[in-house]
């Protein structure tokens, strides 16, 4: 006799992206409580889910404004009623008309830059269209991606170029993405401090030069959950915390029962001698992201769970073709796998990277504690 949850999931075609609502709500409240206790505004990065009901839940819990990775996200969430939006990818000339259109409609869009060249392009376009864009300067606090280093001369040059061009200098932001390479509380706390100190230092330099810098924005999920203090910071951003994943588990900022995204899959065959079950979740469902490969535990393409969400310890998606996943036991092959997981069995696979796996699907199936399912569309493309 199937449980209500099993009966409910049996109605879904597989593979399907499931969001466990109690887990998601727990994650939202955990992060918001931490930000409240540190007295910092929280601006979630919605690129993880690109999904209106999830963003609404984040705002309802106390988030103030959102961060987006595409202007298409900005358009969707502005249409949904969010006005305070940070587009946290360096502004390119060809996107300025889209940014202008959003601002003309009343969106308080903030854009970012990290070079004198791009500051000049923004200022020239802004002047031409009589639009004083609010621009934040991206700071590089860990050498992992873009941004100006806190001590670089270019920081003040960019600030002056923006102001001289009639733009508004809204603040500085940084994202310590190299926190993903760490896995001890001490190293994470140190990275959070490096992220904070570097961004605050950049703000101080701007202010000392007579330039305005009201916002100091920092964050990634690992650093947001590890910072010991955030003096001088005005807001924190984080994205993947809302669903979590195996990469975050390896880093040490969540436990498996906090991972709210899983892929529902069906066993479609076996290679019993090899101890394989073949499932209908390949890399097209899980994504090609192998983020746990270099971490302390490699989960292949994901951790297998029962359809109820209980971790099947040692069973991982060890291989993936486009629509086939190979599920096997780590170490000794399970030659009884065909009896243990017969054809037709539904399973759930926890993903390496929630942002990448979610992006493989046009919708999430939101799963309530009583097994009720709701379909939530997610945004796709640019
Ligand atoms: C600029 C920026 N801010 C915040 C984040 C959120 O990081 P995380 O997903 O680790 O929470 C990202 C993620 O890539 C980002 O690029």
């Amino acid at each position: 006799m199937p449980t209500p949850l099993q009966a409910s999931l049996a109605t879904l075609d597989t593979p399907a992206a499931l969001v466990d609502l109690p887990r998601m709500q727990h994650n939202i409240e955990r992060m918001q409580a931490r930000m409240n206790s540190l007295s910092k505004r929280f601006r979630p990065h919605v690129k993880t889910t690109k999904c209106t009901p999830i963003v609404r839940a984040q705002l309802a819990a106390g988030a103030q404004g959102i961060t987006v990775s595409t202007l298409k996200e900005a358009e969707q969430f502005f249409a949904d009623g969010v006005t305070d939006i940070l587009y946290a990818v360096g502004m390119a000339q060809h996107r300025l008309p889209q940014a202008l259109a959003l601002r003309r409609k009343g969106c308080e869009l903030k854009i970012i830059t990290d070079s004198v060249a791009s500051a000049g392009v923004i200022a020239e376009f802004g002047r031409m269209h009589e639009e004083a864009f609010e621009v934040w300067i991206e700071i590089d606090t860990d050498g992992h991606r873009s941004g100006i280093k806190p001590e670089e001369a270019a920081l003040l040059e960019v600030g002056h170029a923006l102001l001289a061009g009639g733009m508004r200098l809204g603040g500085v932001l940084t994202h310590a993405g190299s926190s993903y390479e760490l896995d001890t509380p001490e190293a994470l706390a140190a990275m959070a401090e490096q992220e904070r100190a570097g961004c605050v230092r950049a703000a101080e330099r701007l202010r000392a030069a007579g330039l305005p810098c009201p916002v100091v924005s920092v964050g990634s999920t690992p650093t947001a959950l590890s910072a010991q203090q955030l003096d001088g910071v005005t807001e924190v951003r984080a994205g993947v915390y809302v669903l979590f994943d195996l990469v975050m588990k390896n880093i040490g900022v969540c436990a498996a029962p906090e991972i709210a995204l899983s892929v529902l899959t069906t066993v479609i065959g076996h290679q019993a001698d090899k101890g394989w079950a073949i499932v209908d979740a390949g890399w097209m469902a899980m994504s090609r992201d192998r983020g746990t490969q270099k971490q302390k535990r490699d989960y292949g393409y994901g951790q297998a769970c029962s359809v109820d969400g209980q971790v099947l310890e040692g069973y991982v998606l060890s291989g993936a073709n486009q629509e086939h996943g190979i599920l096997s036991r780590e170490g000794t092959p399970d030659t009884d796998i065909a009896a243990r997981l017969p054809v037709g069995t539904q399973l759930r696979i926890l993903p390496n990277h929630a942002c990448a796996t979610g992006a493989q699907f046009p919708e999430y199936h939101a799963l309530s504690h009583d097994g009720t399912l709701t379909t939530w569309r997610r945004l796709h493309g640019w």
Side-chain angles (χ1 to χ4, degrees):
M1 187 65 182
T3 62
L5 172 68
Q6 289 165 348
S8 184
L9 292 178
T11 65
L12 290 181
D13 193 5
T14 58
L18 298 181
V19 172
D20 182 307
L21 286 185
R23 290 184 185 193
M24 180 192 88
Q25 198 56 40
H26 158 85
N27 296 341
I28 290 173
E29 282 161 21
R30 176 183 165 203
M31 181 63 85
Q32 191 63 51
R34 184 166 167 72
M35 292 305 125
N36 293 349
S37 71
L38 288 163
S39 302
K40 298 299 159 193
R41 291 166 61 103
F42 181 56
R43 182 188 291 278
H45 204 319
V46 304
K47 76 183 176 65
T48 301
T49 65
K50 306 194 188 204
C51 179
T52 296
I54 299 181
V55 174
R56 286 206 183 118
Q58 291 170 303
L59 293 168
Q64 297 179 59
I66 61 170
T67 314
V68 297
S69 62
T70 65
L71 287 175
K72 189 165 176 180
E73 287 160 61
E75 281 162 0
Q76 153 143 351
F77 294 110
F78 177 62
D80 285 344
V82 185
T83 50
D84 179 354
I85 301 179
L86 166 67
Y87 171 48
V89 173
M91 187 37 100
Q93 184 156 22
H94 68 281
R95 298 205 178 95
L96 280 163
Q98 211 179 342
L100 177 66
L102 272 161
R103 288 190 62 91
R104 290 274 152 92
K105 283 189 224 160
C107 178
E108 291 161 29
L109 182 75
K110 291 106 172 110
I111 59 177
I112 71 168
T113 184
D114 68 350
S115 71
V116 175
S118 119
V121 167
I122 294 168
E124 193 187 327
F125 182 90
R127 259 203 320 270
M128 212 155 62
H129 295 275
E130 295 180 357
E131 180 64 41
F133 283 106
E134 178 173 343
V135 188
W136 296 8
I137 302 177
E138 185 174 11
I139 308 301
D140 176 8
T141 50
D142 67 346
H144 92 285
R145 200 167 66 189
S146 40
I148 301 173
K149 297 205 169 34
E151 301 296 341
E152 265 181 89
L155 176 66
L156 302 187
E157 291 164 20
V158 170
H160 284 301
L162 290 169
L163 276 204
M167 302 300 106
R168 284 186 293 146
L169 184 47
V172 285
L173 85 158
T174 192
H175 166 63
S178 53
S179 59
Y180 278 48
E181 290 153 28
L182 309 173
D183 61 8
T184 65
E186 297 73 28
L188 288 163
M191 181 55 72
E193 176 55 19
Q194 181 179 322
E195 182 183 52
R196 180 203 72 82
C199 207
V200 170
R201 170 70 186 140
E204 282 167 353
R205 282 190 65 218
L206 287 166
R207 291 173 192 145
L211 294 161
C213 187
V215 174
V216 179
S217 176
V218 303
S220 69
T221 290
T223 51
L225 291 172
S226 305
Q228 301 298 300
Q229 57 98 1
L230 287 170
D231 291 355
V233 165
T234 63
E235 65 162 46
V236 177
R237 307 178 319 279
V240 76
Y241 79 97
V242 67
L243 300 178
F244 281 128
D245 52 30
L246 294 167
V247 164
M248 290 296 134
K249 178 176 179 288
N250 270 336
I251 290 171
V253 292
C254 75
E258 291 179 303
I259 301 177
L261 178 66
S262 61
V263 172
L264 184 71
T265 187
T266 306
V267 176
I268 55 171
H270 299 94
Q271 292 283 10
D273 53 328
K274 293 179 179 155
W276 292 357
I278 311 296
V279 298
D280 66 358
W283 57 253
M284 198 66 174
M286 301 310 302
S287 89
R288 269 283 185 206
D289 198 299
R290 289 278 293 106
T292 58
Q293 192 166 24
K294 289 194 193 135
Q295 292 187 301
K296 59 186 171 200
R297 181 152 178 207
D298 184 357
Y299 290 94
Y301 285 86
Q303 165 70 58
C305 301
S306 69
V307 72
D308 306 310
Q310 299 302 315
V311 168
L312 300 176
E313 201 44 64
Y315 289 81
V316 298
L317 212 58
S318 50
N321 293 167
Q322 189 160 343
E323 300 296 350
H324 296 76
I326 297 175
L327 198 153
S328 62
R329 186 166 67 192
E330 294 165 304
T332 336
D334 177 5
T335 46
D336 286 334
I337 200 159
R340 202 182 309 281
L341 304 173
V343 165
T345 305
Q346 282 193 334
L347 297 168
R348 281 155 77 172
I349 314 289
L350 302 178
N352 283 324
H353 186 182
C355 311
T357 300
Q360 303 299 113
F361 293 87
E363 61 202 15
Y364 293 120
H365 297 278
L367 184 60
S368 302
H369 68 283
D370 61 358
T372 314
L373 285 167
T374 317
T375 305
W376 286 349
R377 199 176 64 80
R378 25 166 314 141
L379 188 68
H380 186 254
W382 288 264

